[in-house]
């Protein structure tokens, strides 16, 4: 025992008389090291986050042309965008596809989560399989769905034919193209959102349901009056997440048109993100693209605010 | 407690959900293993054919598609970014969760704010110009650098470390004379390994799937796998079997990750989610 404690005692002793250099090192270790550990994130964020954001603002105030000359035009890009029919079409497409994808997705995910929350065999296997879509590549999925939604030999038109529905030209018309793209988005994200909802549902105390059952509340009533209101924080998280994802949609509609950012022959499914890429990297109008990026951010803020207010009302305060 | 056993309707719905989740992937294999005339026949084929190996070899050997290069590039990009994000996030997460310093809460709020900005869309123009002036366009550096950090990762690891590493443990190590970095290495890292795994898988998937930025900053002759699919799609738009063999190849790493870590992915998502 005494032999065991001896080295430590000497070490402590040694620490008291250590040279000034080591004292500085240990002071830094306590005071400075926490900052050193968080600094890689902030340094990289400054370089690849803050710098681009600031420069996007700066670029948006200039007119760039193909010849490489630049001219300060103040808010000129913004006013031009607000009068640009192509931009508004992209905004409407984005919002349209967002609504078409998100509303059914949230409902489906809620009901799926409710079903996954029951007791049954192979529970883990089933939870894993609804996550399978998330684990596949977006572009691969979009390629598969593009084929499923093909006009002449697509599976979807073939099945619709059983019910006497005429084949849709999914890529040529506006609303059908939105539906096709919204389907891809939903396929990918419904299971993911269901798992997140499930995580929230599992924290709701079970005796609440038991008390409600004794009071004679039906299962459906329990879902609307217990599950949903108790789920509000999760709901806010999921809805905000989907809002950012939905309004920045790019991969699915681009792949739906062979990797082209025009979004169809008449831009019928061009989103704002695609509009930015087209203006910036095909028309080389950096200022215009940068201004569109800020308007997209504004759109996301508006969307997030509306959703937040909407979700907050769900279930109400008792 | 009858409430917790599913009704027949619920069972049918779950079955349908599983079917719909798996079907497009099954369909991918069906077309990838067929001939092109099968792929465009009505009614479509529903069972896999015998041409899968042949089609995959055709994709890999196609000089225009550069598919093998795409797979290699994607792997390099995803692996590099994953290592960087995991290291940066565990360091920062440890600091935020277990160390005391002035401005800690303010800095953490700053990280949360950075998560809310869609940087990929917002910063795309200046980032591109930066890569042009560095003459890095067309190289993997240009794809990798903007992704070396991830606010979500820092947030996730802060939450995880808080729950996995009690303060007493850190203080005990300090009393024993361990320096901060040593505590991180010897005490914190072993404890947060499950969190690191979830963040790593997540980051790898995200990077493997990245499409918009590589599309802008790379050229088709040095693609990532997603860009390679897109050029397959554009160049051989009538050759479905080739395109589908390529897409099937492109998801193999993700499916492998899923088979190996599926349980952890489900668990990690449920753990990391915002609870009611």
């Amino acid at each position: 025992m005494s032999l065991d404690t001896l080295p430590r005692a000497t070490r402590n002793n040694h620490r008291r008389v250590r040279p000034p250099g080591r004292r500085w090192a240990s002071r830094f270790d306590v005071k400075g090291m926490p900052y050193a550990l968080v600094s890689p994130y902030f340094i990289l964020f400054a370089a690849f986050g803050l710098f681009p954001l600031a420069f996007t603002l700066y670029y948006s105030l200039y007119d760039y042309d193909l010849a490489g000359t630049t001219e300060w035009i103040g808010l000129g890009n913004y006013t031009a965008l607000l009068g640009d029919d192509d931009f508004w079409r992209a905004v409407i497409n984005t919002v349209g596809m967002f609504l078409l994808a998100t509303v059914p997705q949230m409902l489906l995910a809620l009901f799926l989560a409710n079903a996954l929350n029951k007791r049954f065999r192979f529970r883990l296997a089933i939870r894993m399989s609804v996550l399978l879509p998330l684990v596949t590549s977006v572009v691969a999925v979009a390629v598969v769905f593009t084929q499923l939604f093909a006009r002449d030999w697509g599976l979807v038109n073939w099945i619709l034919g059983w019910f006497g529905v005429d084949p849709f030209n999914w890529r040529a018309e506006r609303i059908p193209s939105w539906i096709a793209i919204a389907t891809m988005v939903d396929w990918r994200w419904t299971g993911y959102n269901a798992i997140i909802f499930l995580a929230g549902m599992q924290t709701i105390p079970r005796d609440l349901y038991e008390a409600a059952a004794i009071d004679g509340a039906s299962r459906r009533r329990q879902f609307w009056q217990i599950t949903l209101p108790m789920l509000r924080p999760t709901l806010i998280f999921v809805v905000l997440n989907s809002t950012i994802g939905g309004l920045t949609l790019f991969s699915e509609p681009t792949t739906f048109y062979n990797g082209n950012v025009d979004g169809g022959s008449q831009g019928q499914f061009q989103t704002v993100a695609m509009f930015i890429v087209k203006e910036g990297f095909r028309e080389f109008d950096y200022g215009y693209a940068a201004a569109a990026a800020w308007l997209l951010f504004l759109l996301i803020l508006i969307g997030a605010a509306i959703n937040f207010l909407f979700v907050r009302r769900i279930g109400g305060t008792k | 407690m009858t409430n917790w056993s599913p009704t027949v309707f619920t069972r049918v719905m779950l079955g349908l959900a599983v079917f719909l989740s798996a079907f497009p992937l099954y369909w991918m294999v069906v077309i990838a293993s067929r001939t092109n005339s099968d792929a465009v026949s009505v009614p479509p084929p529903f069972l896999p054919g015998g041409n899968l190996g042949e089609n995959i070899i055709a994709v890999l050997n196609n000089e225009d598609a550069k598919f093998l290069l795409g797979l290699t590039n994607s792997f390099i990009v995803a692996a590099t970014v994953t290592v960087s994000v995991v290291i940066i996030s565990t360091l920062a997460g440890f600091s935020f969760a277990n160390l005391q310093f002035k401005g800690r809460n303010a800095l953490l709020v700053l990280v949360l704010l950075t998560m809310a900005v869609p940087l990929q869309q917002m910063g795309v123009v200046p980032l591109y110009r930066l890569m042009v002036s560095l003459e890095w366009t067309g190289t993997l550096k240009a794809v990798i650098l903007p992704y070396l950090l991830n606010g979500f990762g820092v947030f996730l690891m802060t939450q995880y470390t808080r729950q996995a590493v009690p303060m007493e443990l850190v203080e005990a190590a300090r009393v024993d004379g361990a320096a901060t970095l040593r505590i991180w290495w010897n005490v914190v890292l072993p404890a947060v390994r499950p969190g690191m795994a979830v963040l790593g898988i997540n980051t790898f998937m995200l990077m493997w799937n990245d499409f918009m930025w590589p599309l802008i900053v790379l050229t088709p002759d040095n693609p990532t796998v997603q860009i390679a699919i897109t050029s397959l799609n554009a160049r051989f738009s009538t050759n479905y079997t080739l395109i589908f063999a390529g897409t099937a190849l492109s998801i193999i790493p993700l499916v492998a990750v899923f088979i190996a870590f599926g349980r952890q992915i489900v668990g990690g998502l449920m753990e990391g989610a915002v609870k009611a």
Side-chain angles (χ1 to χ4, degrees), chain A residues 112-120 123-124 127 194-207 209 227 230-231 234, chain B residues 4 266-267 269-271 273-276:
Chain A
L112 186 58
N114 201 39
L116 286 170
N117 202 16
K118 308 283 181 201
R119 292 217 177 99
F120 48 84
R123 206 156 53 164
L124 181 71
R127 283 178 187 169
I195 294 291
I196 307 277
F197 282 141
L198 175 65
M201 282 179 187
Q202 293 196 333
T203 62
I204 302 174
R206 298 210 157 178
D207 31 334
Y209 293 100
T227 310
M230 295 289 285
L231 213 55
T234 318
Chain B
W4 302 102
V266 176
L269 274 180
M270 292 183 62
E271 201 137 291
V274 179
K275 303 283 171 67

Side-chain angles (χ1 to χ4, degrees), chain A residues 60-100:
Chain A
S60 74
L61 304 174
Y62 282 84
D63 186 26
Y64 287 79
D65 64 22
L66 271 174
T69 52
T70 57
E71 186 195 344
W72 164 271
I73 51 167
L75 294 178
N77 281 322
Y78 292 91
T79 50
L81 272 169
L82 294 177
D84 183 342
D85 288 343
D86 287 355
F87 178 70
W88 281 111
R89 195 189 50 218
V91 169
I92 291 167
N93 289 345
T94 308
V95 174
M97 282 185 254
F98 164 67
L99 290 176
L100 219 50

Side-chain angles (χ1 to χ4, degrees), chain A residues 8 29 34-35 41 45 52 56 119 128 135 137-139 147 155 158 187 210 219 222 230 234 281 286 293, chain B residues 1 3-4 6-7 20-21 27 43-44 95 101-102 114 122 126 128-129 176 180 209 226 240 254 258 274 276:
Chain A
R8 174 171 290 186
D29 195 57
Y35 296 103
Y41 176 79
F45 181 77
T56 305
R119 292 217 177 99
M128 274 171 68
V135 189
S137 114
V138 196
V139 175
Q147 210 258 2
L155 195 62
W158 185 67
W187 181 77
E210 274 156 31
R219 280 186 182 189
Q222 290 176 22
M230 295 289 285
T234 318
F281 305 102
Y286 296 124
Chain B
M1 285 312 274
N3 204 0
W4 302 102
T7 58
L20 288 176
S21 301
W27 180 253
S95 196
F101 54 100
K102 250 186 224 153
T114 63
M122 291 294 296
Y128 179 75
R129 303 266 295 183
D176 281 350
T180 307
N209 270 327
Q226 311 299 341
Y240 281 101
L254 297 181
F258 188 63
V274 179

Side-chain angles (χ1 to χ4, degrees), chain B residues 93-114:
Chain B
F94 164 51
S95 196
F96 281 129
N98 290 133
L99 303 178
Q100 258 129 35
F101 54 100
K102 250 186 224 153
R104 182 176 72 171
N105 292 336
L107 287 176
L108 192 56
V109 168
L110 206 60
V111 173
L112 293 184
L113 285 179
T114 63

Side-chain angles (χ1 to χ4, degrees), chain B residues 152-170:
Chain B
F152 170 75
V154 174
F155 173 68
L156 186 83
M157 286 321 294
T158 304
Q159 298 290 88
Y160 199 92
T161 312
R162 227 177 236 158
Q163 158 246 301
V165 186
M167 283 305 281
E168 294 80 36
L169 207 59
V170 176

Side-chain angles (χ1 to χ4, degrees), chain B residues 13 69 95 138 194-195 233 248 261:
Chain B
M13 222 188 89
L69 181 63
S95 196
N233 205 358
F261 298 103

